[in-house]
Coordinates of all heavy atoms in Angstrom, one line a residue:
I456 N 27.7 -1.4 8.5 CA 28.1 -1.6 9.9 C 27.3 -2.8 10.4 O 26.2 -3.1 10.0 CB 27.8 -0.4 10.8 CG1 26.3 0.0 10.7 CG2 28.7 0.8 10.4 CD1 26.0 1.1 11.7
Q457 N 27.9 -3.5 11.4 CA 27.2 -4.5 12.1 C 26.9 -4.0 13.5 O 27.9 -3.8 14.3 CB 28.1 -5.8 12.2 CG 28.4 -6.4 10.9 CD 29.2 -7.7 11.1 OE1 28.7 -8.7 11.7 NE2 30.4 -7.7 10.6
Q458 N 25.7 -3.7 13.8 CA 25.4 -3.2 15.2 C 25.4 -4.3 16.2 O 25.6 -4.0 17.4 CB 24.0 -2.5 15.1 CG 24.0 -1.2 14.3 CD 22.7 -0.5 14.3 OE1 21.6 -1.1 14.7 NE2 22.7 0.8 14.0
T459 N 25.2 -5.5 15.8 CA 25.3 -6.7 16.7 C 26.0 -7.8 15.9 O 26.2 -7.7 14.7 CB 23.9 -7.2 17.1 OG1 23.2 -7.7 16.0 CG2 23.1 -6.1 17.8
L460 N 26.5 -8.8 16.7 CA 27.2 -9.9 16.0 C 26.2 -10.7 15.1 O 25.1 -11.0 15.5 CB 27.7 -10.9 17.1 CG 28.4 -12.1 16.6 CD1 29.7 -11.8 15.8 CD2 28.7 -13.1 17.7
T461 N 26.6 -10.9 13.9 CA 25.8 -11.6 12.9 C 26.2 -13.1 12.9 O 27.3 -13.5 13.0 CB 26.0 -11.0 11.5 OG1 25.6 -9.7 11.5 CG2 25.2 -11.8 10.5
I462 N 25.2 -14.0 12.8 CA 25.4 -15.4 12.6 C 24.8 -15.8 11.3 O 23.6 -15.7 11.1 CB 24.7 -16.2 13.8 CG1 25.2 -15.7 15.1 CG2 24.9 -17.7 13.6 CD1 24.5 -16.4 16.3
P463 N 25.7 -16.3 10.4 CA 27.1 -16.4 10.5 C 27.8 -15.1 10.4 O 27.2 -14.1 9.9 CB 27.5 -17.3 9.3 CG 26.4 -17.0 8.3 CD 25.2 -16.8 9.1
P464 N 29.0 -14.9 11.0 CA 29.7 -13.6 10.9 C 29.9 -13.1 9.5 O 30.2 -13.9 8.6 CB 31.1 -14.0 11.6 CG 30.8 -15.2 12.4 CD 29.8 -16.0 11.6
I465 N 29.7 -11.8 9.3 CA 29.8 -11.3 8.0 C 31.0 -10.3 8.0 O 30.9 -9.1 7.9 CB 28.5 -10.5 7.6 CG1 28.6 -10.0 6.1 CG2 28.1 -9.5 8.6 CD1 27.3 -9.6 5.5
D466 N 32.2 -10.9 8.1 CA 33.4 -10.2 8.2 C 33.8 -9.4 6.9 O 34.6 -8.5 6.9 CB 34.6 -11.1 8.6 CG 34.4 -11.7 10.0 OD1 33.7 -11.1 10.8 OD2 34.8 -12.9 10.2
C467 N 33.2 -9.8 5.8 CA 33.5 -9.2 4.5 C 32.9 -7.9 4.3 O 33.2 -7.1 3.4 CB 33.1 -10.2 3.4 SG 31.3 -10.6 3.4
L468 N 31.9 -7.5 5.2 CA 31.3 -6.1 5.0 C 32.3 -5.1 5.5 O 32.8 -5.1 6.6 CB 30.0 -6.1 5.9 CG 29.2 -4.8 5.7 CD1 28.6 -4.7 4.3 CD2 28.0 -4.8 6.8
Q469 N 32.6 -4.1 4.6 CA 33.6 -3.2 4.9 C 33.0 -2.0 5.7 O 31.9 -1.6 5.5 CB 34.3 -2.7 3.6 CG 34.9 -3.8 2.8 CD 35.5 -3.2 1.5 OE1 36.5 -2.5 1.5 NE2 35.0 -3.6 0.4
D470 N 33.9 -1.4 6.6 CA 33.4 -0.3 7.4 C 33.5 1.0 6.6 O 34.2 1.2 5.7 CB 34.3 -0.2 8.6 CG 34.2 -1.3 9.6 OD1 33.1 -2.0 9.6 OD2 35.2 -1.6 10.3
G471 N 32.7 1.9 7.1 CA 32.7 3.3 6.6 C 32.2 3.4 5.1 O 31.3 2.8 4.7
M472 N 32.9 4.3 4.4 CA 32.5 4.6 3.0 C 33.8 4.3 2.1 O 34.9 4.5 2.6 CB 32.1 6.0 2.9 CG 30.8 6.4 3.6 SD 29.3 5.7 2.8 CE 29.2 6.7 1.4

Side-chain angles (χ1 to χ4, degrees):
I456 60 172
Q457 297 182 66
Q458 292 185 341
T459 65
L460 178 65
T461 296
I462 302 176
I465 184 167
D466 299 331
C467 58
L468 186 65
Q469 301 180 67
D470 294 334
M472 295 286 287

